Amino acid sequence: MELTMIETIAPNMHSCDEDLPLVRAVKDGNTSAFEELVRRYGRKLFRIAWNVVHNTEDAEDAVQIAFLKAYQNLHQFQENAKFSTWLIRIALNECFMAIRKRRSIREDSLDSDFSIEADGSDRAPRNPIPVDVTDWTSSPESLYGATELREILTNCLHKLSSAMRVVFVLRDVEGYSTSETSEILNLTANAVKSRLSRARLQLREDLSQYFSVRSLAARTGNK
């Protein structure tokens, strides 16, 4: 089974990769070492996959297939990138395959060519909620519970194109740096910044519109 699409990251030795001892042990036939890698990254991969596909079954399938492909093709991993980068990339490829299958339309591929636009912000908050969300309504806490707010944010995130969504998830939800995100997605730093900037702008617009409608409805209902 070939993974040429996945293994396209430019050579960059990661001598400090803490996963390498386990990876090398698996290559030597130690299956318990791979079980440790699954425990180490299972929850993270599922969290990333769910935020991309927004479907529990598809996310679970993507993670399971990713681990299976990683195990079957570990001999192809040349240690030019961190193991976690390689593994996340496999999982994301599975996520986009699930999206294409579910929607029956062509979705953006991780390996598609994109034009580089103006840079976005080089630094991102580690919280999934934009920092100025509370400025869009006088008192969001009084209107929405935490569960409803998460649902609103999830719905708005799902409206993003897959290309923007995955960058937002890696940068603002998972807290990866621009360089780490660039390596995971095999994109330039400028492309990552551009997509992140566009994703944040669209989310702000969608959330602002939602809060404005709800605030107006609340005021109208009180009359």
Side-chain angles (χ1 to χ4, degrees), residues 164-187:
M164 289 192 293
R165 189 189 316 145
V166 69
V167 169
F168 182 85
V169 168
L170 292 176
R171 287 287 280 116
D172 283 3
V173 178
E174 294 299 319
Y176 285 101
S177 67
T178 296
S179 60
E180 290 170 332
T181 302
S182 299
E183 187 171 21
I184 290 171
L185 300 179
N186 197 27
L187 295 171

Side-chain angles (χ1 to χ4, degrees), residues 22-107:
L22 290 173
V23 170
R24 291 166 180 169
V26 176
K27 289 182 177 181
D28 290 336
N30 187 339
T31 57
S32 296
F34 191 78
E35 292 174 359
E36 176 59 30
L37 289 171
V38 172
R39 285 192 292 269
R40 183 174 292 183
Y41 290 106
R43 291 176 63 86
K44 175 183 284 290
L45 282 191
F46 176 79
R47 187 170 61 244
I48 292 173
W50 190 90
N51 276 314
V52 172
V53 300
H54 291 152
N55 179 285
T56 299
E57 183 177 355
D58 286 344
E60 290 176 343
D61 288 346
V63 172
Q64 291 177 1
I65 295 172
F67 277 125
L68 177 60
K69 286 188 175 181
Y71 182 76
Q72 292 176 334
N73 296 277
L74 197 59
H75 63 283
Q76 295 185 28
F77 178 62
Q78 302 298 317
E79 302 179 14
N80 293 328
K82 293 180 66 175
F83 172 77
S84 59
T85 296
W86 187 69
L87 180 62
I88 292 171
R89 187 168 173 79
I90 296 174
L92 288 174
N93 280 331
E94 294 303 319
C95 288
F96 282 102
M97 288 178 64
I99 291 173
R100 288 195 295 268
K101 180 179 180 180
R102 187 171 72 239
R103 294 182 177 178
S104 298
I105 60 174
R106 183 170 182 171
E107 283 284 334

Side-chain angles (χ1 to χ4, degrees), residues 116-221:
I116 299 175
E117 302 177 8
D119 288 354
S121 172
D122 188 37
R123 297 182 63 84
R126 301 185 76 87
N127 296 322
I129 303 175
V131 293
D132 56 344
V133 66
T134 54
D135 294 333
W136 300 336
T137 181
S138 58
S139 180
E141 295 85 357
S142 64
L143 295 176
Y144 316 107
T147 300
E148 184 174 1
L149 181 57
R150 284 195 298 270
E151 182 177 350
I152 294 167
L153 290 170
T154 296
N155 290 336
C156 290
L157 182 61
H158 193 55
K159 293 179 182 178
L160 296 175
S161 69
S162 55
M164 289 192 293
R165 189 189 316 145
V166 69
V167 169
F168 182 85
V169 168
L170 292 176
R171 287 287 280 116
D172 283 3
V173 178
E174 294 299 319
Y176 285 101
S177 67
T178 296
S179 60
E180 290 170 332
T181 302
S182 299
E183 187 171 21
I184 290 171
L185 300 179
N186 197 27
L187 295 171
T188 65
N190 283 346
V192 169
K193 293 174 186 177
S194 174
R195 294 188 197 185
L196 180 61
S197 179
R198 288 154 52 200
R200 288 174 177 169
L201 178 60
Q202 184 173 326
L203 285 172
R204 286 190 179 97
E205 291 175 347
D206 289 345
L207 288 169
S208 294
Q209 182 179 14
Y210 187 93
F211 284 136
S212 296
V213 170
R214 288 296 298 268
S215 296
L216 177 61
R219 289 196 302 269
T220 303

